[in-house]
Amino acid sequence: MKINFIKSILALALGLLMSYGLYSFSGGENKILLSAGSFIYFAITLITLFSISFEQPRTTTNIKVISIVFFMIGFLSNVIFTFINFAIPIYIVLNGILLLLFILTTYSIKSKNQ
C-alpha cells in the first residue's frame, strides 16, 4: 500500500471545504457536530479514493469504487442532515455505521488481494 501525501493534503482540503459548505447552509443548532462529523467522513473516504494505491491494480480499482459509493452515500446523508433538525445520537449512529461499513468493506477487499 502506497500513500501519495500531496493527494492526501488535497483530499483533506476538499473535505474541509465541503464540510464548511455544509456548516454554512445548516440552520440548526448542531452545526459544529455536522461540520466535524462530515469532515471526518469526507476525509477518510476522499483520502482512500484519491491517494491510496495497492500492489494489485484490481484491488486499487475495487477500493476506489467502494470509496466513491460510500462518499456519495455519506454526502447525501450529510446534505439531508443539513436541512433538517436532527438529534445528535441519530447523526452519530448513522454516520458511524456508514463509516464502519466502509472500513470493513475496504479491509475485506484488501485482505483478498484481488
Side-chain angles (χ1 to χ4, degrees), residues 14-26 31 34-35 38 42 75 79 82-83:
L14 181 61
L16 185 65
L17 288 172
M18 292 174 69
S19 299
Y20 177 70
L22 293 176
Y23 174 83
S24 7
F25 287 123
S26 178
K31 292 171 84 164
L34 177 70
S35 61
S38 63
F42 294 158
F75 182 73
V79 166
T82 298
F83 295 111

Side-chain angles (χ1 to χ4, degrees), residues 5-21 39 42-44 46-47 50:
F5 289 107
I6 300 298
K7 288 183 179 179
S8 294
I9 292 170
L10 292 173
L12 285 173
L14 181 61
L16 185 65
L17 288 172
M18 292 174 69
S19 299
Y20 177 70
F39 173 71
F42 294 158
I44 291 172
L46 287 173
I47 286 173
F50 291 133

Side-chain angles (χ1 to χ4, degrees), residues 48 54 59 63 66-67 70 101-111:
T48 308
F54 298 90
T59 302
I63 289 179
I66 292 298
S67 296
F70 273 93
L101 281 173
F102 169 69
I103 292 169
L104 177 67
T105 307
T106 304
Y107 175 76
S108 299
I109 292 171
K110 168 63 177 111
S111 66

Side-chain angles (χ1 to χ4, degrees), residues 59-89:
T59 302
T60 302
T61 303
N62 287 336
I63 289 179
K64 287 186 184 295
V65 168
I66 292 298
S67 296
I68 193 71
V69 167
F70 273 93
F71 173 76
M72 293 304 227
I73 292 169
F75 182 73
L76 182 65
S77 165
N78 282 300
V79 166
I80 290 170
F81 280 122
T82 298
F83 295 111
I84 64 170
N85 210 358
F86 60 90
I88 293 173

